[in-house]
Amino acid sequence: MPSAYFVLRNQGGAFDFSEVDWRIAVSAASERIYWKIGTDPTAMERVVEVAASVEGDPPFALLFTVNLRADQAGQFDNPLDTLVAFEKPPFDDAETILRAPLCQLIRNAKDADVAVPVYYVATVEGAPERSDCYTKVVEHILDAPAEFQAPPLKQIAVDSVAVATQALMPEIVVVSDDLIVPDAWTGERQVVPRNSATFAPGEMIMLHAMLDYVGRDLPGTPLASYEVRLDIELRDAEGNVIGAQNDAMRFTGQPIHSVPIRGDYWRTGVVTGFPLQEPGQYEIIYRLTDLNRPETVGQTEITKTVVIE
């Protein structure tokens, strides 16, 4: 099971975490770390639920962030003064518990949504300062777990067979990849494949794919979930890249829990779609990355050639 739990709350603009830099920091830690990032309050509830369900005494931290621009680095001596001046009541009892160059970890009063202290990571935008700061914060929390209050703990059963199976799984594979008719289903609630790869300008190009060997966080428990990132690349008939969108979608969900695990436990479906306006022949590359497995075994591509006319 993971040895630390984090909720990263994005508030917009200068108060957002950099997921790229955070992943660098997490990958540098030797421990297994469970975390969620975003503005959705259910993300916090999810991590609180997971942290409260494990056996042991792992650290738990609810993190907000404050980013200064690079040209504001000279004002970094005491970000806590700025926070107190900006909104005094939540910060009048705050304290700086980690201080490093262009990096501070500030603890204030308890958040209304969860009975644990709230921590603010103050840093400066851009690598390497921000990535280094995240790494220092993670190391500090892992080195002093007793300082970080976790929710009330209870035990959770873990299917060791599922854990061992995931550790030995082969690389992710594409079981099927069909262009489909939008909003069309058979009587068995199965999608309807499209018989042609020719589309009218503006018509929705829908892909339905089934993947196998998709990893789970907390496999073999009722809290297991998957997360697959989609990057899209568009090429013209000559193979030139004419467009790309990284992190175009995230596919998340929870498999059906059973002990022993079902035969389709690692199988996961994804559906995505978008239109193209200009006539011509195109090659669409769908790059799928399993965020719960190393990229060496957790990344695959689907290529579709379509005609717009």
Side-chain angles (χ1 to χ4, degrees), residues 175-225:
V175 178
S176 62
D177 54 12
D178 299 311
L179 295 173
I180 63 171
V181 180
D183 302 321
W185 302 81
T186 67
E188 293 78 28
R189 294 295 294 168
Q190 297 295 314
V191 296
V192 177
R194 182 186 171 93
N195 296 323
S196 171
T198 299
F199 297 81
E203 186 178 358
M204 189 65 69
I205 302 169
M206 296 289 296
L207 174 77
H208 175 265
M210 293 298 298
L211 311 174
D212 211 350
Y213 307 125
V214 175
R216 281 49 171 124
D217 63 355
L218 305 180
T221 76
L223 302 172
S225 68

Side-chain angles (χ1 to χ4, degrees), residues 47-75:
V47 182
V48 171
E49 176 188 18
V50 171
S53 301
V54 299
E55 182 179 2
D57 191 22
F60 170 87
L62 172 57
L63 300 177
F64 290 74
T65 189
V66 180
N67 298 302
L68 275 69
R69 299 190 310 269
D71 62 353
Q72 297 174 315
Q75 307 170 24

Side-chain angles (χ1 to χ4, degrees), residues 12-125:
F15 302 97
D16 277 357
F17 277 91
S18 163
E19 183 170 348
V20 172
D21 289 338
W22 178 260
R23 287 187 180 277
I24 292 172
V26 169
S27 66
S30 58
E31 288 83 356
R32 169 81 161 85
I33 293 172
Y34 186 94
W35 59 276
K36 297 291 183 183
I37 184 173
T39 58
D40 186 352
T42 60
M44 182 178 67
E45 295 170 3
R46 166 77 174 160
V47 182
V48 171
E49 176 188 18
V50 171
S53 301
V54 299
E55 182 179 2
D57 191 22
F60 170 87
L62 172 57
L63 300 177
F64 290 74
T65 189
V66 180
N67 298 302
L68 275 69
R69 299 190 310 269
D71 62 353
Q72 297 174 315
Q75 307 170 24
F76 196 79
D77 289 343
N78 197 346
L80 181 54
D81 287 347
T82 302
L83 291 173
V84 172
F86 175 70
E87 195 171 357
K88 182 177 175 55
F91 294 100
D92 46 9
D93 294 325
E95 59 178 329
T96 299
I97 62 172
L98 170 65
R99 190 184 299 271
L102 302 181
C103 178
Q104 293 188 25
L105 180 61
I106 299 166
R107 176 169 53 204
N108 78 328
K110 294 180 179 179
D111 183 85
D113 296 327
V114 61
V116 295
V118 175
Y119 298 88
Y120 282 78
V121 180
T123 184
V124 173
E125 290 183 353

